[in-house]
């Protein structure tokens, strides 16, 4: 996260040269405009401007500085601090070189005095020239003044800008629309007059006399002819030509967005009850032709919920402080009109409070300078952070700071592995802004590694209750995959935040409800944050990472920008509609469009049980094999719906088709490949489908049809035949009672996660206990034993204010519960038990539990029994060989650990 927030102006910083009369350098990328109050003196490369005194500044400071301030110690040599992200360069001009390079907060003398609230996302920084080592930090409508250096007294003022008026009355006279959130501040030095400052905010400027107040307020040219004479690129805003307006009339509050960035204007908004804030509706209107301000944009809008007043008109004068937008909603004939006068509030179309917690030993989101690697043609030299990536899309991520929690790892071992259940529990406990409602707040957690240990780099894990409020990035995997500190890490962060805002992978937009069109080459041709670099397919046959980064402009594509800027409120706000879901009243798919012909040489099948009793967890088995057209074919081994390659469509008894969405979908796990041939003719997996991010999948009895779609390495989509299953009604009272104890959402979550200690799932765990206690012999009890035994057999991490607590594994309980699952499943006199793939995993977990109890002999017995069990089931020889290999791998691990 950057020390200085993303700027809105076309230039990065203003650095006074201490000359009298006033002259300054205005920095833009690796160039500088040399100006005075009256004119532009010169413009050119930074290294050549001002007589070459800044030659030699290293990258990324030479090209990507997003702030700079002077250090007035003596008149010569000149000295300034350049800031890029959270790093700074203290540079003495005219070839003297660096006095310091490193984190801003680590700058000797200066860094230690920066108040906590000013350690990230400050607006701008200014040196005070007549006071050695005195520096002023601006943030919102507040500031901090630090006196550092050899005799410095630290931060001696922090408070509202107006309180500076106690000594300098001019600060009390700032106009309302120019009273804070400044992009730049620079002293205007003149003979005998020290306290004059140039303040810049967007495309407006202010010449402030600290004692008498504003002398000029207006455009660049009105305030300073030198500023106005800069080349056009210095005047072009870095953020979209857009603005947000608020207004309240008749107990209805309107959040209005006016966007002039594209070829035609777009107006969108959300309405809420006032003062309570309950959501009412959303609308979007696209204009018919380009406009210039002031302008009127009118037409019939599209609404999230039907309305009797679909016609809107917006009259807007300026997208700047002091601007107004008048919104009128009316019936199609112009009657029933309601007018809202809305005041300009922000250059951003949406603002999100972003809280980041991190484990000790991890690092916050990377900052990436585009000068680090070869750039695509036309890409500017700039620093990219998570916030700047979204700022360029018109979205403000307003950080609340990173909290690093100290970690105790005594019981957890060297690697702290985080399950989805642990992540959700950590969010509920530690996200200071968390509520199970829709709100513009997002929590991110920098963890070590996911419990699946599949190379997952990130996960938008919050798919319980009010969804999309939490995401995590796994730092250990970023390091091991050599992505930490690179452009790939910044892509991971922007990508996961995108999921929390309901953006899908580029190749999965057709799975949305309602479906969205795929981009070029089935979405793999998108040059977007939401694509994977290694999946990229270019227009001329180029593929993979090198092709992606050679062309990627570090931005979202047009449809994603439309969603971020103008998507209906509940489609984007964290805690709103479920992931993939559009507006609540939009239907599911009514038909399945077959993908193009499969050319991969692979066959995909769903098989297993075709009848399930009331409440019984529905599990389908998955097989990917050769289709007989070729002796060998490449395949992705991950056949789980939680990954990126496989999707299962469920058609309900009414004929509606929905993709099954697991309660967490993992992002970025490497696409390893295996070759299917005579020795390895097939891959197998199973998937629990009973509960996902959309709740209970099979809530009603009836006939359901399942179909799987799997991506192949050659880009083909392999589609399975339909697998039909029947969900039966309860046969008797006992079946009804037992099934009901597995039907709740918390029980479904526990089945999906294979258990959890999370307090918010306590009622679900209690229901599983009642199932075992009241119906011990019922076939469904085996699933409660499996969940409890699996969870007991592993430690559970709890992130708290004092660090990470570890509940150690309960070996005795795990052996008892998992033993019951195996015994019930292998008992030929019952029709209860788990499927073959689940049985395999359960027996290996049971062996681990015995080894943890220091009984390696019994662990070996269980593993031997595992192989014999499947030999007796007469599974195909390659499958039996795989099971035997899994058993031996587990045996070796357990003996090595012992």
């Amino acid at each position: 996260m950057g020390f200085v927030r993303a700027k809105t102006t076309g230039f990065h910083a203003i650095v006074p040269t201490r000359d009298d009369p006033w002259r300054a350098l205005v920095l833009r990328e690796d160039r500088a405009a040399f100006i005075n109050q009256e004119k532009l003196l010169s413009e050119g490369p930074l290294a050549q401007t001002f007589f070459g005194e800044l030659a030699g500044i290293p990258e990324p400071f030479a090209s990507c500085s997003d702030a700079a301030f002077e250090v007035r110690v003596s008149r010569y040599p000149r000295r300034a601090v350049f800031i890029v992200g959270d790093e700074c360069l203290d540079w003495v001009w005219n070839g003297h070189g660096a006095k310091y390079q490193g984190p801003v907060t680590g700058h000797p003398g200066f860094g230690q005095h920066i108040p906590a609230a000013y350690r990230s996302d400050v607006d701008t920084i200014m040196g005070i020239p007549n006071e050695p080592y005195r520096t002023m930090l601006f943030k919102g409508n507040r500031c901090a003044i630090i006196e550092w250096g050899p005799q410095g007294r630290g931060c001696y003022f922090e408070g509202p800008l107006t309180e500076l008026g106690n000594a300098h009355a001019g600060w009390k006279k700032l106009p309302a629309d120019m009273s804070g959130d400044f992009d730049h501040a620079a002293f205007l030095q003149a003979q005998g007059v020290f306290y004059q400052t140039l303040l810049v905010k967007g495309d407006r400027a202010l010449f402030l006399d600290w004692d008498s107040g504003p002398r000029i307020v207006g455009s660049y040219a009105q305030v300073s002819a030198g500023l106005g004479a800069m080349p056009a690129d210095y005047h072009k805003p870095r953020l979209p030509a857009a603005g947000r307006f608020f207004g309240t009339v008749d107990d209805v509050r309107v959040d209005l967005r006016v966007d002039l960035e594209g070829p035609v204007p777009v107006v969108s908004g959300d309405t809420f009850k006032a003062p309570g804030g309950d959501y009412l509706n959303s609308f979007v209107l696209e204009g018919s032709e380009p406009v210039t301000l002031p302008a009127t944009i009118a037409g019939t809008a599209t609404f999230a919920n039907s309305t009797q007043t679909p016609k809107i008109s917006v009259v807007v004068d300026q997208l700047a402080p002091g601007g107004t937008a008048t919104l009128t909603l009316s019936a199609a004939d112009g009657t029933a009109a309601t007018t809202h006068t809305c005041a300009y509030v922000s250059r951003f179309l949406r603002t999100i409070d972003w809280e980041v917690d991190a484990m000790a030993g991890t690092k916050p989101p990377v900052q990436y300078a585009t000068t680090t690697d070869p750039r695509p043609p036309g890409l500017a030299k700039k620093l990219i952070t998570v916030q700047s990536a979204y700022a360029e899309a018109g979205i403000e991520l307003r950080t609340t700071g990173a909290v690093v929690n100290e970690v105790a790892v005594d019981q957890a071992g060297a690697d702290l592995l985080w399950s989805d259940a642990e992540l959700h529990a950590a969010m509920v406990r530690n996200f200071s802004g968390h509520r199970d409602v829709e709100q513009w707040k997002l929590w991110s957690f920098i963890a070590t590694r996911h419990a699946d240990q599949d190379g997952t780099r990130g996960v938008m894990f919050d798919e319980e209750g009010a969804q999309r409020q939490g995401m995590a990035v796994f730092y250990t995997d970023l390091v091991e995959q050599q992505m930490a500190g690179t452009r790939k890490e910044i892509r991971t962060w922007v990508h996961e935040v995108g999921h929390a805002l309901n953006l899908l992978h580029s190749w999965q937009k057709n799975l949305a409800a309602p479906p969205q069109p795929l981009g070029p080459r089935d979405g793999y041709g998108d040059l977007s944050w939401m694509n994977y670099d290694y999946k990229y397919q270019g227009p001329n046959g180029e593929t993979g990472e090198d092709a992606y980064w050679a062309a990627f402009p570090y931005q979202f594509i047009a449809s994603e920008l439309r969603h971020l800027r103008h998507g209906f409120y509940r489609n984007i706000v964290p805690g709103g509609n479920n992931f993939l879901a559009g507006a609540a009243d939009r239907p599911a798919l009514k038909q399945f469009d077959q993908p193009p012909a499969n050319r991969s040489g692979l066959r995909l099948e769903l098989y297993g049980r075709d009848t399930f009793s009331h409440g019984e967890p529905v599990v389908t088995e998955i097989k990917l094999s050769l289709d007989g057209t070729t002796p060998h074919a490449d395949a992705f081994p991950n056949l789980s719906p939680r990954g990126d390659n496989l999707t299962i469509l469920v058609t309900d008894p009414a004929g509606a088709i929905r993709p099954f969405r697991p309660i967490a979908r993992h992002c970025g796990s490497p696409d390893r490949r295996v070759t299917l041939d005579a020795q390895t003719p097939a891959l197998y997996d199973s998937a629990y489908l009973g509960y996902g991010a959309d709740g209970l999948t099979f809530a009603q009895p009836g006939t359901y049809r399942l179909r799987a779609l799997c991506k192949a390495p050659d880009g083909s989509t392999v589609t399975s035949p339909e697998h039909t299953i029947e969900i039966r009604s309860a046969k008797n009272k006992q079946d009804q009672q037992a099934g009901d104890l597995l039907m709740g959402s918390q029980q479904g979550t526990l089945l999906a996660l294979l258990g959890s200690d999370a307090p918010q799932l306590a009622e679900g765990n209690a229901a599983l206990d009642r199932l075992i206690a009241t119906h011990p012999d019922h076939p469904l009890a085996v699933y409660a034993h499996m969940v409890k035994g699996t969870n007991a057999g592993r430690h559970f991490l709890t992130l708290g204010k004092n660090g990470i607590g570890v509940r150690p594994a309960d070996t005795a309980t795990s052996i008892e519960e998992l033993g019951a699952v195996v015994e019930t499943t292998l008992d030929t006199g019952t029709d209860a038990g788990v499927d073959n793939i689940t049985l395999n995993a359960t027996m290996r977990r049971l062996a681990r539990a015995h080894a943890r109890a220091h009984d390696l002999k019994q662990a070996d017995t269980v593993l031997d029994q595992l192989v014999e069990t499947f030999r007796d089931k007469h599974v195909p020889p390659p499958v039996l060989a795989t099971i035997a290999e899994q058993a031996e791998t587990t045996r070796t691990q357990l003996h090595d650990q012992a």
Side-chain angles (χ1 to χ4, degrees), residues 54-100:
L54 289 170
I57 292 180
E59 293 289 358
F61 303 95
S63 299
C64 303
S65 289
D66 48 22
F69 65 91
E70 58 179 333
V71 181
R72 183 65 177 263
V73 181
S74 60
R75 185 167 180 82
Y76 298 106
R78 297 177 176 89
R79 178 178 166 191
V81 175
F82 299 84
I83 298 174
V84 173
D86 58 10
E87 299 281 310
C88 74
L89 172 73
D90 189 339
W91 186 262
V92 183
W93 297 24
N94 203 20
H96 290 272
K99 294 184 71 68
Y100 171 80

Side-chain angles (χ1 to χ4, degrees), residues 157-438:
F157 175 84
E158 194 287 320
L161 288 167
T162 53
E163 291 186 5
L164 285 170
N166 295 336
H168 300 281
W171 287 99
K172 289 184 179 291
K173 300 177 183 180
L174 287 172
D177 61 345
M178 291 287 285
S179 60
D181 299 317
F182 298 113
D183 288 307
H184 305 283
F187 256 89
L188 286 162
Q189 185 166 330
Q191 181 67 39
V193 180
F194 294 104
Y195 290 100
Q196 297 182 128
T197 296
L198 173 68
L199 298 168
V200 176
K201 182 176 181 179
D203 60 359
R204 289 168 60 79
L206 183 153
F207 181 7
L208 177 72
D209 184 296
W210 285 35
D211 294 319
S212 62
R215 294 178 57 182
I216 309 174
V217 181
S219 67
Y220 293 172
Q222 289 172 324
V223 174
S224 167
L227 274 180
M230 294 187 303
D233 284 344
Y234 289 75
H235 291 257
K236 183 179 179 180
R238 296 172 67 191
L239 296 185
R244 187 165 87 246
F245 300 77
F246 282 179
T248 301
V249 173
D250 295 334
D251 297 329
V252 174
R253 176 169 63 87
V254 175
D255 295 358
L256 183 67
R257 297 174 290 275
V258 179
D259 187 355
L260 306 184
E261 182 71 10
V264 295
V266 179
V267 173
S268 64
D270 310 305
T271 57
F272 305 84
K273 290 182 181 179
D278 292 342
Y279 170 71
L280 297 175
N281 210 341
S282 297
F283 61 85
V284 61
L285 170 69
E286 186 172 286
S288 58
E289 59 185 8
V291 298
T292 57
L293 296 178
T296 299
I297 306 161
T300 301
T302 301
F303 283 77
N305 305 310
S306 60
T307 177
Q308 299 300 311
T309 55
K311 188 174 180 179
I312 73 170
S313 171
V314 173
V315 180
V316 59
D317 58 355
Q318 59 178 333
L319 301 176
T324 59
T326 303
L327 167 69
T328 302
L329 298 97
S330 66
D333 60 1
T335 61
T338 303
T339 298
H340 301 259
T341 300
C342 304
Y344 177 91
V345 294
S346 177
R347 55 192 170 270
F348 295 104
L349 294 175
R350 307 186 197 266
T351 296
I352 302 166
D353 288 329
W354 186 35
E355 184 173 327
V356 182
D357 284 358
M359 290 180 61
T362 65
K363 293 184 178 180
V366 69
Q367 51 195 30
Y368 174 74
T370 58
T371 55
T372 305
D373 299 289
R375 300 189 312 283
L379 181 66
K381 296 178 180 180
K382 58 183 177 179
L383 185 83
I384 298 176
T385 65
V386 182
Q387 293 100 314
S388 72
Y390 279 93
E392 290 184 4
I395 308 300
E396 180 183 23
L397 287 181
R398 187 166 54 194
T399 58
T400 57
V403 179
V404 178
N405 292 279
E406 293 301 324
V407 179
V409 296
D410 292 343
Q411 289 91 9
D415 276 331
L416 287 162
L417 308 179
W418 290 86
S419 68
D420 296 324
E422 290 165 328
L423 289 170
H424 192 274
M427 180 188 71
V428 172
R429 182 169 181 178
N430 294 273
F431 182 11
S432 63
H434 181 264
R435 294 172 60 207
D436 206 24
V437 298
E438 54 202 32

Side-chain angles (χ1 to χ4, degrees), residues 778-813:
H778 195 278
L780 295 184
V782 69
Y783 297 101
H785 287 298
M786 180 184 67
V787 169
K788 293 182 68 63
T790 302
N791 190 53
R794 64 194 181 197
H795 65 261
F796 195 90
L797 304 178
T798 302
L799 178 63
K801 299 305 180 186
N802 297 318
I804 295 176
V806 183
R807 186 269 294 159
D810 181 351
T811 303
T813 298

Side-chain angles (χ1 to χ4, degrees), residues 487-729:
R487 57 191 177 183
K488 294 185 178 183
E489 182 184 354
I490 194 74
R491 193 212 64 86
T492 298
W493 273 98
V494 177
H495 182 99
E496 294 306 327
V497 172
H499 282 324
L501 300 180
N502 219 358
L503 286 176
L504 279 67
H505 288 137
S506 297
W507 64 94
Q508 291 178 321
K509 290 180 167 59
N510 59 326
L511 299 179
Q516 301 299 311
L518 292 173
R521 294 164 290 286
D522 292 332
Y524 293 110
D526 283 356
L527 286 167
S528 165
W529 293 109
M530 302 312 295
N531 203 352
Y532 282 178
D533 55 2
Y534 57 83
K535 288 181 179 285
Y536 175 68
Q537 299 176 15
N540 301 311
E542 66 276 23
T543 62
E545 296 180 18
D546 291 344
Y548 174 86
W549 292 110
F552 180 47
Y554 296 87
Q555 64 186 26
F556 296 98
I557 62 171
S559 62
E560 294 162 347
L561 289 173
R562 178 67 172 240
H563 171 83
L564 291 170
R565 295 180 192 173
H566 303 293
F568 292 159
Y569 175 72
R570 282 184 169 153
N571 287 1
I572 177 173
V573 64
N577 284 339
N578 292 348
F579 186 54
L580 299 183
D585 60 345
R586 297 191 181 184
L589 293 168
K590 287 299 182 182
Q591 65 180 17
F592 168 66
D593 295 328
Q594 288 278 359
N598 169 30
R599 59 184 183 275
S600 66
L602 301 172
R603 176 189 294 116
L604 182 64
E605 301 170 75
L606 299 179
Y607 64 101
R609 297 263 306 278
D610 54 15
T611 59
F612 295 85
S613 62
H614 169 67
E616 184 174 6
V618 175
V619 176
T620 187
E621 297 184 66
I622 306 163
K623 178 182 179 182
L624 185 66
S625 60
L626 294 171
D627 66 2
T629 63
T630 179
H632 53 80
D634 286 344
F636 294 130
N638 185 353
L639 298 181
S640 169
R642 292 185 300 173
D644 298 320
N645 298 315
L646 185 126
T647 300
I648 295 178
L649 302 177
V650 180
T651 304
D652 66 21
I657 305 171
R658 296 185 186 276
F660 171 74
R661 301 190 306 114
I663 62 172
R665 183 181 290 273
H666 300 171
C667 266
S669 53
D671 268 350
R672 295 184 299 108
R673 302 184 182 192
V674 298
T675 300
L676 299 185
D677 51 25
Q679 286 71 40
T680 308
L683 300 172
Y684 299 86
D685 207 337
S686 66
Y688 165 65
L689 304 179
Y691 186 84
D694 296 312
L696 294 170
T697 310
F698 309 98
Q700 302 297 326
T703 300
Y704 293 78
R705 289 172 290 149
L706 311 178
R707 188 191 296 271
L709 291 77
C710 183
K711 293 293 185 182
D714 70 348
S716 298
T717 299
V718 189
T719 306
S720 76
E722 283 191 337
H723 173 53
T724 300
I725 64 172
E726 186 76 19
I727 307 298
R728 294 179 175 175
S729 301

Side-chain angles (χ1 to χ4, degrees), residues 826-850:
L826 298 183
D827 187 349
T828 57
T830 71
D831 59 357
V834 296
D835 63 276
N836 283 345
I837 295 175
T838 303
L839 176 63
N840 178 353
T842 300
M843 294 184 75
R844 284 184 283 134
R845 291 189 189 106
L846 178 59
R848 291 190 183 96
H850 282 298

